[in-house]
Amino acid sequence: MAVNGTPKRSGWWKDAIIYQIWPKSFHSARGSPTGDIPGIIAKLDYIKSLGVNTIWVSPHYKSPMIDEGYDVADYEDVNPDFGTVADAEQLIKEVHQRGMRIIFDLVINHTSDQHKWFQESRSSKTNPKRDWYIWRPAKYDSNGNRQPPNNWASNFSQSAWTWDPTTEEYFLHLFAIEQPDINWTNAECRKALLESSMEFWLKRGVNGFRVDTVNMYSKPMDFPDAPITVPGSDIQPASSLYCNGPEMHNYLREMGDILEKYDAMTVGELPCTSDPKQVLEYVGFARNELSMVFQFDTVDLGKTPGDVFAFKPWTVSDFANITNKWQTFTNGNDGWTTSFIENHDQGRAPSRFGSDKPEHHDASSKMLALLTVLSSGTPFVYMGQELGMTNVPLSWDYKEYLDLNTINYIQRLKDQGKSDDEIVKKYMPAINLHARDNSRTPVQWTDGPNAGFTKEGVKPWMRVNDNYKQINAAQQLEDKDSILSFWKQAIALRKEHPALFTYGKFTSLLDYSGKEDHKVFAFAKDAAGDKASSATNKQAIVLLNFSDQEQDVSKIAKGKVALSSHKDTNASAPLKAYEGRVLLV
C-alpha cells in the first residue's frame, strides 16, 4: 500500500470544492416524478461553471426508499427510478472528461431489510449469515411481558429493536425498522461488505466516498441500558454507547488500506463527537483512516439534544465559537477539516441562519456563501444552495412533509394526545425550521412548470417550493448580481488565494467569550501552507453581519474590498443588513 514507507495518497481532496447532489430531487432528464442519473449528466456543465471540482452523489443504489436510499438493498445495483449501472458508469466517465472528480455515498452501518444478506439472516437461527446482523433474545419483565434487549432509542423516534416472529428474536436497527444494523465483528461479513460497497465502485472510477454514520459500526456487544435522560420514556438516547466504539479505528484502517490503492478520499459523517482530540484520531493523515469529517455542532445550533425539532435560541457568539473550534483544531497537526452549512439532513441556511424575508434573502444567502467558501478546509455546497433556496412555507400542511423522521415525530405527538390544531400552532414552527424535508424539495431550475425539474404534466415526487418563480437558476444565470453569480465569484476568490482560504490560519477578530450581544462574526485568515511565502496577500478579513441592522466594523476593518454582498461599499463602512465583506490585506 505504500512506496518506500510513503503513502500513495496525494491529498488532492484538500483542494477540492465539493457539490452535493441528492439525486431524487436534482433533475429528471426522463420526465419522471423523480430526478435521475441522466438528469445529473445533463447538468454537469452547469455544475462545472460554478467552479467546483468534485461532485458527491447521495445514495443512488437499489433501495425500497424507506429512508430515501439510505436503506440499500444492493450496493452493486442502481435504483431503477434513477437509472442503471451503465448510467452510473457513464456519469463517472462524463465527470472525469470535464476534469472533475466524483464521490458516492457509502452506507455501511446497516442495509435494507430487503438486502439478500438480511433475508438469509432472518430465515433461521442456523443460517450461515445469521451472525451478519445483530440478533438478541427478548427480555421479560416481572409480569412475563416480552421486552426488547435494552432501552435504546433509534434515531427515528422509536425503539432500536424490532421483534422478528420468524425466529423469535429481536434485531437491532439504529435507524428505521427496515434498516437492520450489520454486525461488524463478523470478519467474513466485513470483507464481503467492503468488497460490494467500496471496491465495486472504486474499480469503476469513483474517487471516494461520503461515509454515512461513520462512528457507529463498533457497538458494545453486551448492549447495556442507556442512562435515563428522558424521564417517563421507555426508550432512551444511546449515542454515548454506540458511537466511537473500541474497534472503530481498526475498522477504518481496513477501509483506508482499500482506499489508498485508488488514491481515494473519504469524508465521514461523525455525529456525537465534540472533542477535537477524538476527532483528530479519525482524520490524521498518517493514520490512514478518514480524509476529513463532518462535525455537526454548527448545523445543530437551535436543536435540542433528544428532540431535534424543539427549538432553542442561539447567538452569533455561539456560532462564532463553534466555527472557531472546528477551524482551528487541525492547527499544528496533519488533520483536515470541512466547511458546510447545508446538506440533505438540514433546513436551508437562509431560513435557519440568515433571513428568507424578500428584503434580506439575497444578502443573507451571499453572506453565508462567504462563510462556507472562505473558511479553511474543504467546502461543501449543497444543490440549490448556490441559488439561495429556502425552507418550505410554514403554511404547508404537515402532510406535505414526506421524510420518515418528520412523519414519525408527528405521529409520536399524536400518540401523546396532541390534537392537529395543537401540532400546527405549537410544534410546526420548529418542525418547519429543522425538518429534512426542506432540503429535499426539487431544485428550482426555471420559473416554468414544475420549476423545470421534470416535464410539464408530471407530478414531482415532492411538491416544489412555492417561491420557484422568484428563486430559480434560469433567472440567476442572466443576472450578474444574483446569488448564483456571487457564489461563482466567491469560489474564484478562494481558488485565486489558496494560501489564505484553503490552507489559511483562522483567527476570530472579536471576543466572543463574554456576554456582549455580537451581531457580527469577524475572522481573519493568515496565509499558510506551501504557497504562503509567495502569496501576494498575507491576510484576509471576513466580516459577516448576522442581523438586519447596520453594524460598525471600523475598528477591525483594514485592507481593500475583494468581494461584498452589497455593491459600492468600502473597507471600513458600516456593514449593511446581512452584508458579508471580504478584505485583502
Side-chain angles (χ1 to χ4, degrees):
M1 306 299 181
V3 180
N4 298 325
T6 302
K8 289 168 57 179
R9 294 167 293 147
S10 66
W12 60 265
W13 31 265
K14 292 184 177 181
D15 292 303
I17 302 170
I18 301 179
Y19 185 88
Q20 181 191 357
I21 294 171
W22 204 66
K24 191 172 183 179
S25 291
F26 187 64
H27 177 56
S28 174
R30 302 184 297 185
S32 61
T34 67
D36 49 45
I37 294 173
I40 299 174
I41 295 172
K43 297 294 185 181
L44 286 179
D45 290 335
Y46 164 86
I47 295 169
K48 183 176 174 62
S49 74
L50 296 174
V52 302
N53 53 26
T54 305
I55 294 172
W56 155 25
V57 181
S58 294
H60 61 283
Y61 309 107
K62 184 178 180 181
S63 167
M65 301 295 280
I66 296 297
D67 187 26
E68 298 300 352
Y70 284 91
D71 47 324
V72 180
D74 189 342
Y75 295 104
E76 300 173 24
D77 201 356
V78 170
N79 184 333
D81 287 345
F82 301 156
T84 64
V85 171
D87 289 330
E89 291 173 334
Q90 184 64 27
L91 173 62
I92 296 167
K93 179 181 177 182
E94 297 267 3
V95 168
H96 289 164
Q97 285 177 345
R98 288 166 173 79
M100 298 189 292
R101 290 183 170 94
I102 184 169
I103 67 174
F104 282 173
D105 233 289
L106 188 64
V107 189
I108 47 178
N109 174 72
H110 46 263
T111 69
S112 165
D113 62 356
Q114 300 304 306
H115 197 291
K116 61 184 179 182
W117 296 343
F118 186 71
Q119 294 291 305
E120 291 185 48
S121 183
R122 79 187 316 175
S123 64
S124 74
K125 291 180 180 178
T126 58
N127 186 277
K129 289 187 173 59
R130 180 66 172 184
D131 193 44
W132 285 32
Y133 293 82
I134 298 172
W135 296 91
R136 289 294 183 274
K139 288 185 175 180
Y140 292 88
D141 62 19
S142 57
N143 296 320
N145 297 313
R146 187 184 73 234
Q147 301 293 331
N150 65 24
N151 66 351
W152 290 8
S154 83
N155 287 276
F156 285 169
S157 305
Q158 58 199 172
S159 171
W161 298 91
T162 289
W163 176 254
D164 190 66
T166 303
T167 56
E168 297 188 322
E169 282 193 332
Y170 284 90
F171 64 87
L172 179 72
H173 52 89
L174 295 183
F175 294 89
I177 293 171
E178 297 84 358
Q179 293 169 294
D181 277 42
I182 291 167
N183 180 11
W184 275 69
T185 66
N186 185 305
E188 180 187 11
C189 172
R190 206 162 61 243
K191 182 175 185 293
L193 175 67
L194 299 183
E195 286 180 355
S196 184
S197 63
M198 291 177 63
E199 295 235 46
F200 179 86
W201 291 106
L202 288 166
K203 290 174 181 176
R204 284 161 174 77
V206 165
N207 302 109
F209 300 95
R210 174 267 189 187
V211 192
D212 190 57
T213 58
V214 76
N215 58 349
M216 298 185 184
Y217 311 153
S218 175
K219 283 96 170 171
M221 298 306 282
D222 56 344
F223 295 100
D225 275 343
I228 306 298
T229 56
V230 184
S233 175
D234 56 352
I235 55 174
Q236 298 295 322
S239 59
S240 61
L241 295 174
Y242 60 68
C243 287
N244 307 310
E247 296 299 318
M248 269 311 317
H249 295 290
N250 292 329
Y251 295 153
L252 290 176
R253 279 190 286 273
E254 286 183 24
M255 294 168 59
D257 288 342
I258 295 172
L259 293 158
E260 189 175 17
K261 293 187 294 183
Y262 301 89
D263 192 21
M265 66 150 276
T266 48
V267 53
E269 180 189 34
L270 195 74
C272 309
T273 311
S274 58
D275 182 351
K277 292 182 180 178
Q278 192 174 21
V279 176
L280 192 60
E281 292 178 357
Y282 284 93
V283 299
F285 190 86
R287 294 178 65 90
N288 195 23
E289 296 185 25
L290 299 169
S291 307
M292 60 192 111
V293 297
F294 291 132
Q295 232 302 331
F296 292 92
D297 286 358
T298 301
V299 293
D300 282 346
L301 275 173
K303 298 180 180 180
T304 301
D307 186 354
V308 296
F309 290 116
F311 178 77
K312 60 179 181 181
W314 57 271
T315 66
V316 174
S317 291
D318 295 334
F319 197 102
N321 288 326
I322 287 171
T323 304
N324 180 73
K325 176 181 179 180
W326 296 113
Q327 283 285 290
T328 60
F329 90 103
T330 56
N331 288 352
N333 56 58
D334 66 347
W336 196 248
T337 192
T338 58
S339 172
F340 77 102
I341 200 170
E342 279 194 24
N343 64 29
H344 62 288
D345 282 335
Q346 309 298 330
R348 290 289 187 174
S351 300
R352 289 191 61 199
F353 302 112
S355 173
D356 54 16
K357 293 180 179 179
E359 63 269 29
H360 299 308
H361 167 260
D362 285 17
S364 67
S365 297
K366 293 175 181 179
M367 181 268 290
L368 293 168
L370 292 181
L371 172 69
T372 302
V373 175
L374 303 184
S375 293
S376 300
T378 299
F380 288 76
V381 187
Y382 181 65
M383 64 178 202
Q385 185 179 1
E386 78 279 9
L387 304 175
M389 284 181 62
T390 68
N391 281 2
V392 304
L394 184 56
S395 59
W396 277 20
D397 190 296
Y398 66 71
K399 296 181 179 65
E400 298 279 3
Y401 291 69
L402 303 179
D403 175 46
L404 185 66
N405 200 22
T406 311
I407 292 170
N408 284 351
Y409 185 81
I410 292 173
Q411 185 58 51
R412 288 206 76 180
L413 294 176
K414 290 183 176 182
D415 292 344
Q416 294 166 10
K418 305 292 190 299
S419 67
D420 269 23
D421 188 59
E422 187 178 5
I423 291 172
V424 168
K425 291 181 178 179
K426 184 176 180 180
Y427 295 95
M428 279 310 297
I431 292 174
N432 172 259
L433 191 65
H434 293 146
R436 305 195 302 184
D437 304 80
N438 289 297
S439 60
R440 300 181 178 188
T441 57
V443 172
Q444 294 156 212
W445 295 106
T446 72
D447 62 0
N450 290 325
F453 164 70
T454 189
K455 69 181 182 181
E456 186 175 3
V458 173
K459 183 181 180 181
W461 78 276
M462 186 178 187
R463 180 175 169 180
V464 176
N465 196 319
D466 297 358
N467 60 14
Y468 72 94
K469 288 187 178 293
Q470 293 77 43
I471 302 173
N472 62 75
Q475 291 177 356
Q476 294 195 29
L477 283 166
E478 301 298 322
D479 181 1
K480 62 181 178 59
D481 294 324
S482 67
I483 299 167
L484 176 60
S485 295
F486 191 83
W487 270 92
K488 293 179 180 180
Q489 295 173 62
I491 290 172
L493 184 66
R494 178 187 178 87
K495 288 182 172 181
E496 185 181 352
H497 302 281
L500 287 174
F501 299 120
T502 303
Y503 299 92
K505 182 181 178 182
F506 180 101
T507 306
S508 291
L509 292 178
L510 296 174
D511 181 6
Y512 296 103
S513 61
K515 295 183 179 180
E516 184 176 350
D517 184 20
H518 287 288
K519 301 300 183 184
V520 173
F521 179 21
F523 60 89
K525 298 293 294 293
D526 290 287
D530 295 340
K531 300 178 181 179
S533 60
S534 60
T536 302
N537 299 97
K538 302 302 182 184
Q539 188 183 65
I541 292 175
V542 182
L543 306 171
L544 308 172
N545 183 1
F546 277 76
S547 78
D548 60 2
Q549 301 294 317
E550 283 195 351
Q551 301 294 326
D552 178 30
V553 290
S554 58
K555 293 182 180 180
I556 52 177
K558 60 180 178 178
K560 294 182 178 180
V561 178
L563 189 60
S564 171
S565 56
H566 287 69
K567 295 188 295 183
D568 304 323
T569 188
N570 62 67
S572 59
L575 288 178
K576 296 181 176 64
Y578 292 104
E579 181 181 355
R581 185 185 304 165
V582 188
L583 310 175
L584 294 180
V585 181

